[in-house]
């Protein structure tokens, strides 16, 4: 039987995810630097930035499998990784998360049983997700014989078995052909319309156009947390890729000025990426949108 918490209604003003002062270290090297943001419920949020900027680490913090050096993350009103969230958060990793030697149906039945679904509930969930991600034609095929796009659909189907309130996906469309990407985004949009919150990472900037809200990352910190139109209006740019580069240049210029001031004053040279917030040139934009 499913947990009663899974169907419990959340207060209308409670965000799906809220991070406060989040820091993650790898040895002496900071991976995430004082991240603070909120994610509203029922929307698609794109976590965008170049490879190596900390996107996967941030997603791991959200699902509760990454230890933080400071700060905390709340998910659906609980601390990230809390026991009540085990059936309410779906996680699709970059690496394959299904068994290649089993068929699609065998994988789904196995993971449904792991979620404590039994009998008709298990079969109902399996049939539902097969339809949701359009896997009916491949249901009896071993996963090893599927294409990359079909493989991604199986991982997504597993994450959807328990109707998660929050679906976290790490670059689910990277490397797929444009038609498969488009079909997957149609699935994502339908899930959002049904009330699921989706947090999707990517280094493909044109996917920003499909998102309701953006988290733009560089070198372990957020350059912006806002809806797409606000990002474009603030930067005066025509597209998100151009806006991202504008914010990167602004951050670099602000850091250079800070270093010059430090040299003149004889103080230790600061590194703005290690401070608790974005450069002064962006602070009003960042703070206002991040905390709404």
């Amino acid at each position: 039987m499913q947990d009663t918490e899974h169907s419990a209604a959340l207060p209308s003003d409670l965000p799906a995810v809220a991070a406060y002062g989040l820091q993650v270290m790898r040895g002496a090297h900071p991976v995430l630097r004082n991240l603070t943001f909120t994610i509203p419920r029922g929307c698609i949020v794109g976590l965008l930035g170049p490879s190596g900027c900390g996107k996967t680490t941030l997603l791991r913090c959200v699902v509760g499998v990454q230890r933080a050096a400071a700060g905390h993350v709340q998910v659906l009103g609980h601390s990230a990784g809390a026991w009540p969230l085990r059936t309410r958060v779906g996680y699709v990793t970059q690496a394959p998360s299904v068994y290649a030697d089993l068929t699609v149906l065998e994988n789904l039945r196995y993971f449904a049983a792991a979620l404590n679904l039994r009998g008709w509930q298990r079969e109902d969930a399996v049939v539902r997700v097969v339809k949701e991600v359009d896997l009916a034609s491949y249901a009896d095929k071993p996963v090893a014989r599927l294409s990359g796009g079909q493989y991604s659909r199986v991982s997504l189907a597993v994450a959807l078995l328990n109707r998660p309130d929050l679906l976290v996906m790490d670059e689910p469309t990277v490397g797929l052909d444009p038609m498969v990407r488009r079909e997957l985004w149609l699935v994502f949009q339908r899930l959002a319309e049904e009330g699921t919150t989706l947090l999707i990472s990517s280094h493909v900037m044109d996917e920003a156009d499909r998102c309701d809200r953006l988290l733009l990352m560089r070198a372990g910190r957020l350059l912006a947390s806002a809806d797409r139109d606000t990002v474009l209006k603030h930067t005066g740019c025509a597209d998100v890729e151009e806006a991202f580069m504008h914010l990167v240049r602004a951050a670099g210029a602000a850091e250079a000025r800070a270093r010059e001031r430090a040299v003149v004053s004889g103080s230790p040279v600061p590194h703005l990426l290690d401070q608790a917030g974005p450069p002064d040139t962006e602070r009003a934009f960042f703070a206002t949108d991040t905390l709404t």
Side-chain angles (χ1 to χ4, degrees):
M1 182 175 293
Q2 298 185 36
D3 298 318
T4 56
E5 298 101 321
H6 187 64
S7 58
L10 294 172
S12 59
D13 59 345
L14 187 69
V17 180
Y20 305 94
L22 182 63
Q23 299 183 60
V24 171
M25 306 292 293
R26 185 171 293 123
H29 174 66
V31 180
L32 298 182
R33 309 171 188 257
N34 299 291
L35 305 190
T36 296
F37 63 89
T38 58
I39 294 177
R41 286 179 288 151
C43 64
I44 300 176
V45 178
L47 174 59
L48 304 174
S51 296
C53 72
K55 299 190 301 296
T56 295
T57 300
L58 176 54
L59 296 185
R60 287 170 54 84
C61 288
V62 171
V63 298
V65 297
Q66 173 67 57
R67 184 176 181 179
H72 67 281
V73 181
Q74 285 193 322
V75 177
L76 304 172
H78 301 274
S79 295
W83 181 253
L85 296 175
R86 69 194 185 282
T87 59
R88 302 180 64 188
V89 178
Y91 184 30
V92 180
T93 62
Q94 286 187 49
S97 57
V98 293
Y99 295 101
D101 56 338
L102 299 181
T103 68
V104 172
L105 285 179
E106 288 169 342
N107 267 286
L108 293 174
R109 286 169 178 153
Y110 171 81
F111 285 105
L115 288 168
N116 204 32
L117 296 173
R118 298 288 186 270
W120 68 267
Q121 287 185 324
R122 184 186 69 174
E123 292 306 306
D124 182 66
V126 168
V127 170
R128 172 177 54 79
V129 297
V130 165
K131 291 180 179 178
E132 284 181 341
V133 300
D134 194 20
L135 283 171
S137 301
Y138 316 102
D140 295 318
K141 288 187 177 182
V143 171
R145 293 172 54 190
L146 301 181
S147 68
Q150 293 159 359
Y151 213 123
S152 297
R153 287 173 183 269
V154 180
S155 294
L156 176 58
V158 169
L160 294 175
L161 280 167
N162 218 45
R163 296 185 184 274
D165 296 305
L166 172 65
L167 183 57
V168 178
M169 291 178 283
D170 197 354
E171 301 196 342
T173 64
V174 171
L176 302 182
D177 67 68
M179 183 61 70
V180 175
R181 285 174 56 198
R182 180 178 180 276
E183 291 172 353
L184 280 177
W185 274 102
L186 290 175
V187 175
F188 301 158
Q189 289 163 0
R190 185 175 70 248
L191 291 170
E193 290 170 358
E194 294 171 353
T196 303
T197 304
L198 293 89
L199 175 57
I200 305 172
S201 74
S202 178
H203 59 256
V204 181
M205 287 292 170
D206 63 9
E207 295 201 324
D209 293 332
R210 304 178 185 272
C211 301
D212 302 311
R213 191 171 180 86
L214 304 175
L215 298 175
L216 301 183
M217 283 192 70
R218 170 184 174 265
R221 73 181 182 92
L222 288 177
L223 294 178
S225 172
D227 63 82
R228 177 182 177 275
D229 290 343
T230 299
V231 171
L232 297 182
K233 181 178 179 180
H234 171 78
T235 60
C237 298
D239 58 60
V240 174
E241 183 171 359
E242 183 184 355
F244 179 82
M245 296 308 301
H246 173 94
L247 293 171
V248 168
R249 288 191 295 269
E255 184 174 346
R257 289 193 296 271
R259 287 177 177 273
E260 290 174 0
R261 289 195 296 268
V263 170
V264 171
S265 65
S267 303
V269 178
H271 194 297
L272 289 186
L273 295 180
D274 294 327
Q275 296 183 10
D280 292 339
T281 54
E282 315 170 42
R283 191 173 305 278
F285 162 61
F286 184 93
T288 301
D289 274 282
T290 296
L291 301 179
T292 56

